[in-house]
C-alpha cells in the first residue's frame, strides 16, 4: 500500500512499484531523457539478430554490455543510499528492506543485501549537505567502472550474515565454485589463515564433511601458480592443499 503523498515516481497502484518500469515516470526532464535513451537502445539491441555477426563482434558485444550492466548495478548503490537518506522508501508500506523488495521486485533477503551494499558503496551526504565519498571508495569506483560484479569475489565472512564487502574480506572465487559456499556442513566454507600459518592471511577453503569429516582448511594455489614451482618452505607440496 502506498501513502499517496504525491512523491515523484510513485503512483497509486502497487503494480507501478513492483517491477513494472513502464508505470514509473521521472519528473526531471534531463534524467527522463537519459533513461529513455538507454531504454530505447536496449530495445534496439533486443531486435538485432546476432546469428550473422562474427564471433569477434559477439565477444565484444557481450563484454561491453556486461560492463554496462555492472556499471549500472554499481551506480544503483548511490541511488539506494539517497533514497534511504531522504526517506524515499517510506511511501511504500513496511520497513526499508521490504519496501525495496517491493520497489525492485526482489526477495527480502536480496533487498537486504542491496541495502548493505548501498551503505558501503553508495555516495553519502553530510548533515551540511556536501557529498561524501563511499565508505569503500576504491571498490565503489571499480564497480561503477564495470570492473566488478557480484560473484567475481567471494566474501570470507558471509555477506548475507553481515560480513564486510571491503577488499580485506574478499577472495578470488569463480562463479561455479562461489555457489558451493554456504553455512551447512555439506557446503564448502572459507576462513582466513592465522599468523602462524605458512600462508598467513590467505583464504582457507574447508571442504564439506562428505569429502573431509575434519573439514581441514586448504589453500587454493590456482591464482598463485608460482607456488607450484616454488612452494613455501617447511610444508607439504601445495598440490595437496588445493581447494575448489
Amino acid at each position: 500500500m502506498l501513502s499517496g503523498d504525491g512523491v515523484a515516481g510513485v503512483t497509486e497502484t502497487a503494480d507501478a512499484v513492483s517491477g513494472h518500469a513502464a508505470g514509473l515516470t521521472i519528473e526531471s526532464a534531463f534524467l527522463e531523457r537519459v533513461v529513455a535513451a538507454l531504454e530505447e537502445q536496449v530495445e534496439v539491441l533486443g531486435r538485432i539478430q546476432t546469428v550473422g555477426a562474427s564471433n569477434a563482434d559477439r565477444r565484444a558485444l557481450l563484454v561491453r554490455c556486461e560492463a554496462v550492466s555492472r556499471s549500472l548495478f554499481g551506480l544503483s548503490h548511490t541511488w539506494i543510499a539517497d533514497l534511504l537518506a531522504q526517506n524515499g522508501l517510506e511511501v511504500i508500506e513496511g520497513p526499508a528492506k521490504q519496501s525495496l523488495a517491493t520497489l525492485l521486485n526482489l526477495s527480502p533477503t536480496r533487498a537486504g543485501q542491496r541495502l548493505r551494499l548501498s551503505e558501503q558503496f553508495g555516495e553519502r551526504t553530510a548533515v551540511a549537505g556536501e557529498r561524501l565519498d563511499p565508505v569503500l571508495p576504491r571498490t565503489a569506483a571499480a564497480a561503477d567502472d564495470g570492473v566488478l560484479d557480484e560473484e567475481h569475489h567471494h566474501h570470507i565472512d558471509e555477506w548475507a550474515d553481515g560480513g564486510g564487502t571491503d577488499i580485506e574480506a574478499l577472495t578470488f572465487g569463480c562463479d561455479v565454485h562461489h555457489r558451493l559456499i554456504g553455512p551447512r556442513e555439506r557446503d564448502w566454507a572459507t576462513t582466513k589463515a592465522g599468523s602462524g600459518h605458512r600462508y598467513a592471511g590467505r583464504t582457507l577453503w574447508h571442504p564439506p564433511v562428505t569429502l573431509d569429516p575434519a573439514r581441514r582448511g586448504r589453500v587454493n594455489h590456482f591464482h598463485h601458480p608460482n607456488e607450484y614451482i616454488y612452494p613455501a618452505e617447511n610444508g607439504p607440496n601445495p598440490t595437496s592443499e588445493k581447494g575448489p
Side-chain angles (χ1 to χ4, degrees):
M1 181 183 298
L2 305 181
S3 69
D5 61 1
V7 174
V10 174
T11 70
E12 291 299 321
T13 63
D15 284 345
V17 293
S18 183
H20 294 76
L24 298 176
T25 59
I26 300 176
E27 288 189 354
S28 166
F30 176 71
L31 275 179
E32 175 63 31
R33 287 196 301 272
V34 171
V35 174
L38 178 63
E39 292 171 335
E40 180 181 349
Q41 294 308 309
V42 170
E43 184 178 348
V44 171
L45 276 174
R47 295 197 300 265
I48 296 175
Q49 292 292 330
T50 60
V51 64
S54 68
N55 283 328
D57 280 354
R58 280 192 287 262
R59 287 192 295 268
L61 172 67
L62 185 62
V63 170
R64 291 175 62 175
C65 287
E66 179 68 17
V68 171
S69 176
R70 294 179 183 183
S71 293
L72 289 172
F73 183 75
L75 293 171
S76 74
H77 303 322
T78 293
W79 305 338
I80 293 173
D82 286 343
L83 272 175
L84 290 173
Q86 299 181 35
N87 304 318
L89 292 175
E90 291 187 359
V91 296
I92 307 172
E93 186 178 27
K97 181 169 70 173
Q98 185 59 54
S99 298
L100 187 65
T102 299
L103 181 66
L104 298 182
N105 199 17
L106 302 172
S107 69
T109 298
R110 184 72 181 109
Q113 294 170 345
R114 295 288 295 270
L115 290 174
R116 283 193 289 273
L117 284 176
S118 73
E119 292 173 355
Q120 296 185 310
F121 294 156
E123 293 182 6
R124 300 164 294 155
T125 304
V127 176
E130 68 269 24
R131 287 300 252 179
L132 303 175
D133 287 337
V135 174
L136 304 172
R138 289 186 296 176
T139 308
D144 291 351
D145 289 342
V147 176
L148 300 179
D149 76 352
E150 297 176 76
E151 292 191 334
H152 279 170
H153 291 84
H154 169 68
H155 297 73
I156 296 172
D157 299 315
E158 281 299 315
W159 174 25
D161 295 331
T165 53
D166 62 299
I167 197 66
E168 294 299 323
L170 301 173
T171 187
F172 292 107
C174 70
D175 292 356
V176 174
H177 293 125
H178 179 275
R179 296 183 176 93
L180 300 178
I181 307 299
R184 300 164 300 187
E185 288 191 343
R186 65 175 181 268
D187 298 324
W188 283 81
T190 53
T191 59
K192 184 177 292 188
S195 58
H197 195 279
R198 66 190 180 107
Y199 292 107
R202 292 274 292 280
T203 302
L204 298 179
W205 296 82
H206 301 264
V209 293
T210 53
L211 296 180
D212 179 5
R215 306 198 74 185
R216 290 180 291 266
R218 294 159 166 80
V219 173
N220 186 350
H221 299 272
F222 180 82
H223 298 288
H224 304 269
N226 60 297
E227 292 171 358
Y228 288 104
I229 303 173
Y230 305 106
E233 297 179 358
N234 303 321
N237 190 291
T239 57
S240 66
E241 295 188 338
K242 187 175 181 179

